[in-house]
Amino acid sequence: SCRIVAAQAVVLSDAALLFKQDVFFQGSIHFVGSDRAAKPRCVEVEGNASFHEASVTFEACGDVAVEDGGGIYVEKDLAISNSEVAFQDCWAEVGGGAFIGGAFTARASNISLLSCHGPGGGGGLFVSKNMSLDASSIRFESCSAVEGEGGGLVILNGSLSIGAGGNMSFENCSALAGGGLFMASEECHLALGGSINMSDCRATHSKGGGAVLHDLTQAETGEFNCHRCQSSLGGGGFAASGHVHLWGTSHFEDCDASDG
């Protein structure tokens, strides 16, 4: 494996920084995309990636010619702990900010994805397997998937667990379906012990203005808030195809759909 320890490093990415094995990041690193017409992704990892006690920013990485993961592509799992990680103005066809081929875990960390775009799906983040937030927050703002699902986040085939003290928020995100969040596989289950907040999200051609889900279980500590979200079909706030159990606090305000 490879270990990167940095102090206020700035990396200008004329080509993707490629790691052919597991990589561990620590310290302060700012990745900035190339000013070339065709921008590559900033980081590519052919194994697992870890951020620990790190402050990492991915800025203006990738473009629509990048297949997946404009900021970072991780072939296996991504683990973030005691860190601050930000993606801003990153692009790829799928997973504008990041593409994770395995699982995504965050503990005691803050993650933001601002103005990231993945036209084919997962405008901010695409996760292939399970995702969990432990005392962590992740924020998607002004992210989009104009020709796919999940303007902020797609979880392809796994569960999403937000523990007590965890927070996930979507603001002004849009997609064909699941303006903020899309996780519709039958294997997808959302376990909500923390909070989800969605505002001003839109599903432009289908259901789930805020989210498209399969199963949802909300614990007593869980909060689900949705404000001013819209869909062109069903579920202005969210649309679920499986079982929904709401035991905590839920608040839906000014959400709209053409048929419910």
Side-chain angles (χ1 to χ4, degrees):
S1 64
C2 182
R3 183 181 181 94
I4 306 295
V5 180
Q8 298 182 333
V10 177
V11 180
L12 302 178
S13 301
D14 281 334
L17 185 61
L18 174 62
F19 298 92
K20 290 185 171 291
Q21 53 191 339
D22 296 349
V23 62
F24 176 95
F25 293 96
Q26 186 174 8
S28 175
I29 311 174
H30 187 175
F31 294 99
V32 182
S34 167
D35 58 2
R36 296 187 306 173
K39 295 183 178 181
R41 69 169 62 97
C42 282
V43 176
E44 181 173 346
V45 182
E46 295 183 352
N48 301 300
S50 301
F51 296 88
H52 178 65
E53 294 180 349
S55 176
V56 182
T57 300
F58 297 86
E59 181 181 356
C61 298
D63 65 15
V64 291
V66 175
E67 184 175 353
D68 37 28
I72 187 171
Y73 170 93
V74 180
E75 188 170 309
K76 295 182 180 178
D77 299 339
L78 173 62
I80 300 175
S81 59
N82 301 95
S83 295
E84 305 272 343
V85 181
F87 299 85
Q88 184 170 350
D89 298 315
C90 294
W91 285 77
E93 177 61 23
V94 174
F99 179 96
I100 313 304
F104 178 110
T105 59
R107 181 176 59 82
S109 295
N110 295 307
I111 302 143
S112 62
L113 298 103
L114 311 177
S115 297
C116 292
H117 306 282
L125 173 63
F126 188 102
V127 178
S128 299
K129 296 182 180 178
N130 297 330
M131 179 173 181
S132 65
L133 300 180
D134 177 10
S136 297
S137 69
I138 185 166
R139 177 167 65 101
F140 300 85
E141 182 178 333
S142 300
C143 296
S144 70
V146 296
E147 300 172 355
E149 295 86 17
L153 168 64
V154 166
I155 296 180
L156 181 63
N157 192 19
S159 63
L160 169 59
S161 175
I162 303 176
N167 172 263
M168 178 176 285
S169 65
F170 301 88
E171 181 178 348
N172 190 36
C173 294
S174 62
L176 297 185
L181 168 64
F182 187 90
M183 48 182 302
S185 162
E186 291 186 0
E187 286 73 33
C188 288
H189 178 256
L190 169 54
L192 182 59
S195 63
I196 287 183
N197 298 285
M198 300 177 173
S199 60
D200 302 295
C201 292
R202 302 171 304 285
T204 58
H205 288 75
S206 189
K207 60 187 178 179
V212 171
L213 311 172
H214 185 65
D215 292 336
L216 165 62
T217 302
Q218 180 191 42
E220 291 184 3
T221 57
E223 295 184 22
F224 199 127
N225 301 307
C226 190
H227 302 277
R228 301 176 303 277
C229 292
Q230 299 177 343
S231 72
S232 59
L233 290 177
F238 75 90
S241 55
H243 301 288
V244 175
H245 301 282
L246 298 176
W247 304 108
T249 302
S250 300
H251 186 202
F252 297 87
E253 181 179 358
D254 296 330
C255 293
D256 182 65
S258 61
D259 65 348

